[in-house]
Amino acid sequence: MNNTILDAIEQTGRQARQASRLMMRASSAQKAHALNAMADALTSQRAALKAANLLDVQAAQNRSLEAALLDRLTLSDRSIDLMIEGLRQIAAMPDPVGELTATKIRPNGMQVAQMRVPLGVIGIIYESRPNVTIDAAALCLKSGNAAILRGGSEALHSNLALGKIVRHGLQIAGLPELAVQVIDTPDRAAVGALITMTDYVDVIIPRGGKSLIKRLAEEARVPMIKHLDGNCHVYVDEFADLKKASDIAFNAKTYRYGVCGAMETLLVHQAVATTLLPELARRFITHGVELRGCARTQALVTQALAATDEDWATEYLGPILAIRIVDSIAQAIEHIERWGSGHTESIVTTNISRAQQFQREVDSSSVYVNLPTCFADGFEYGLGAEIGISTNRLHARGPVGLEGLTTLKWVLHGDGQTRG
Amino acid sequence: MNNTILDAIEQTGRQARQASRLMMRASSAQKAHALNAMADALTSQRAALKAANLLDVQAAQNRSLEAALLDRLTLSDRSIDLMIEGLRQIAAMPDPVGELTATKIRPNGMQVAQMRVPLGVIGIIYESRPNVTIDAAALCLKSGNAAILRGGSEALHSNLALGKIVRHGLQIAGLPELAVQVIDTPDRAAVGALITMTDYVDVIIPRGGKSLIKRLAEEARVPMIKHLDGNCHVYVDEFADLKKASDIAFNAKTYRYGVCGAMETLLVHQAVATTLLPELARRFITHGVELRGCARTQALVTQALAATDEDWATEYLGPILAIRIVDSIAQAIEHIERWGSGHTESIVTTNISRAQQFQREVDSSSVYVNLPTCFADGFEYGLGAEIGISTNRLHARGPVGLEGLTTLKWVLHGDGQTRG
């Protein structure tokens, strides 16, 4: 049984590698054509798609899956509309492939440049949201890659129906149908094979909870663009505009509790704590946010519970906020170094030296001045699309758009120069 | 015993991480100062260094190590001069850290940019050449990283002496001495610990033979910038200038047999084979290069042995060349796809469409037009320095200079914008 699955995944990998060779050569017009054809097919096959999705939803209901999961699993008219809109947007974006950069002429007259090219074969592993099938396929296709998609077993009917729509779009545009393959076995051995198949897969992008991603990272041999923790901090400096500081901190926590850019710990310079914290705390408490603070915070905010080391380390992803009063910007940076996860941090200050120091010294993938951390999002950064947010240091760091799905190759032009 | 080593390496890692925080903040002037101080120390401590090296060389002689290895191990006046020169060159190069790119203003007024920053902690694993200790330390330091160096056990005395010189330079410039650490145990468990210590090491760069690197890649948990095969091709198109084609092919093979950019297979379009091959073959044979060819090649070059599939797959790194006559550019590209290692390939042609097709469709880290493949070298590309050549697709591909030792972080400036 297991061997059959390994053979099937290896076959999928081989086909993806072949398709990727053709995808590298696909023109921008062909890729846009395929994406628009998928959008058309989603429109015309809406009923069939919803019928396939209903099979998954009913099976989930029979197994009494929790409401949040059911919600993520369901393809509503609204979520189908969003997929269609996403496809048309990606179709209209500039093609990253073929761009030449860093061109220079060497003393011997040869011209050296770097050309942006597709990564090759991308494996995407995700959980219950079937719309990822379309989003991921669209981004991989636009960037000239082949994709192998492995969604959650609970969404298999939906994903296979979406996969059919993707293949249809590829076919219409004269592109290889096998450029996007949906793995059709629910067996977990398929994932194990996918993440170790270094000959056929160039990068794995897992989308899902931290425990899934950690497990995958431990077993993977293929490089991974992964997202782990987002334990994000806002530091209010002594030179902050306190009205802005209050709005930034409030927005950073309450914009959406569940996003990875949500602020989890607020650091406040001691010089402004007395002025800032009591009123800001009332604002949070009125909004239903539970506060946990250091001893000095508790002296100013009586409703705050005592924060422990565990609080500094926790990504709550919920209506809880840790607050610490610090002596200096250096102590704030130390706190972030010790407890942060290197995701997104922000300083609120009017002082340019403090801003520069913070941006230089804080070693996170995104470092802001006078902005709430919840801006951590590829669309907000102007990437036009986002495959995820990377907490890696290598290759792609922070929000990953189409560029993160490409690499650079060196292209040299000469006229018969030789090396002596 | 083993536990003692693991503890020691973990301690090394912790220290490197701490030092890397300080290195990130080091000014360009400090880094240049440290590099020049190392060059001075190499000059003034030449005698002591050679005495330390003699211990390694004598031990190697006692174990009757082969001559090539002894040669690599020996620190001659010439190799010390080269280290000094390398240090001064790297000191004078522009600092890659802090560069801002891709700056744009978003519709809400916030400014989004990417800042080039150090990777963090870099582990370098190398074999018998002690000069790598200086070269690698210099590149890591210049790019603001901390380094952990693990050289060959046969060069331990030399590497420790060089490590002392590096520490001296760091100290003179007010930089943390632990920013460059030389692992002083010859135990192999140290390497196993180094390549799996994901908390403390951000990237491993192995330098050495393919078997070492393959073994490390199988065990590593830390991402690796690695170099595997260089099975490089020159394709002479039907529209080639045959005088240039002959010179390019000859140089690509004979510049130096042992470099990874050396041509291993020559592909010749059938339309020009009769004119090109007999004379070019004589040139190779006179130079002592053994030829192995396809049947059509053998018909034109009687001295050529029959090439087998193994020849197409082999990186000879020696005076042997495989030759195949192909029907078309498509067949040349297919051959490279099937047998190549994705390192460096070149087309010789005067036809611009053929050149474009080759550069677009050949999926190698370097693709040339009218140049010998032996140009695959960071200095030739104008990188100013080279830590190695990467056969990875992610992060750094092809020759890796200082930029490959850095990463980009997002820096955003706002004025209190919030997300609604």
Side-chain angles (χ1 to χ4, degrees), chain A residues 37-289:
Chain A
M38 288 174 204
D40 295 343
L42 274 179
T43 309
S44 63
Q45 290 167 43
R46 189 181 286 251
L49 180 59
K50 287 172 85 173
N53 181 242
L54 195 61
L55 295 176
D56 289 331
V57 171
Q58 282 170 342
Q61 281 167 336
N62 290 342
R63 281 176 298 142
S64 311
L65 287 200
E66 50 178 313
L69 203 140
L70 267 182
D71 185 52
R72 287 200 289 272
L73 188 57
T74 305
L75 284 176
S76 64
D77 276 318
R78 170 91 185 116
S79 58
I80 295 173
D81 287 345
L82 283 175
M83 285 192 275
I84 294 170
E85 202 184 309
L87 283 166
R88 302 228 187 263
Q89 273 173 8
I90 294 171
M93 282 174 67
D95 188 339
V97 173
E99 184 199 14
L100 281 177
T101 49
T103 307
K104 57 195 167 198
I105 306 290
R106 300 292 303 150
N108 69 355
M110 70 185 191
Q111 178 196 297
V112 176
Q114 287 183 288
M115 184 190 281
R116 192 165 290 288
V117 295
L119 274 178
V121 177
I122 300 178
I124 316 258
I125 297 167
Y126 49 108
E127 293 177 321
S128 46
R129 286 183 202 276
N131 61 304
V132 174
T133 306
I134 291 293
D135 295 350
L139 290 168
C140 291
L141 191 167
K142 179 78 182 190
S143 49
N145 293 287
I148 301 175
L149 308 178
R150 173 48 146 96
S153 53
E154 68 282 8
L156 190 57
H157 292 100
S158 314
N159 290 338
L160 289 176
L162 290 166
K164 221 169 125 187
I165 285 169
V166 170
R167 279 201 304 281
H168 167 78
L170 288 163
Q171 195 204 331
I172 291 267
L175 294 173
E177 283 185 49
L178 294 170
V180 178
Q181 296 177 82
V182 175
I183 292 182
D184 60 3
T185 164
D187 196 301
R188 285 195 162 214
V191 172
L194 186 62
I195 63 179
T196 51
M197 205 160 48
T198 48
D199 280 350
Y200 300 125
V201 185
D202 297 300
V203 62
I204 293 285
I205 305 179
R207 295 184 45 159
K210 192 176 140 187
S211 62
L212 166 77
I213 294 171
K214 277 209 155 163
R215 191 167 50 77
L216 292 174
E218 272 161 29
E219 293 167 23
R221 303 310 309 162
V222 177
M224 212 174 251
I225 298 178
K226 62 179 183 295
H227 179 278
L228 294 170
D229 304 274
N231 183 11
C232 303
H233 298 75
V234 172
Y235 163 61
V236 180
D237 186 47
E238 68 189 300
F239 301 116
D241 174 323
L242 294 187
K243 168 75 178 70
K244 284 179 188 160
S246 175
D247 290 346
I248 287 169
F250 187 73
N251 188 241
K253 183 73 222 175
T254 64
Y255 162 65
R256 276 174 62 194
Y257 297 123
V259 296
C260 59
M263 168 177 70
E264 305 294 8
T265 295
L266 173 66
L267 302 168
V268 181
H269 192 284
Q270 59 178 358
V272 296
T274 317
T275 322
L276 177 76
L277 273 184
E279 199 190 309
L280 177 56
R282 270 194 294 280
R283 222 173 145 182
F284 277 123
I285 290 164
T286 308
H287 205 78
V289 177

Side-chain angles (χ1 to χ4, degrees), chain B residues 248-259:
Chain B
I248 288 169
F250 187 75
N251 189 240
K253 183 72 221 176
T254 65
Y255 162 65
R256 275 173 62 194
Y257 298 123
V259 295

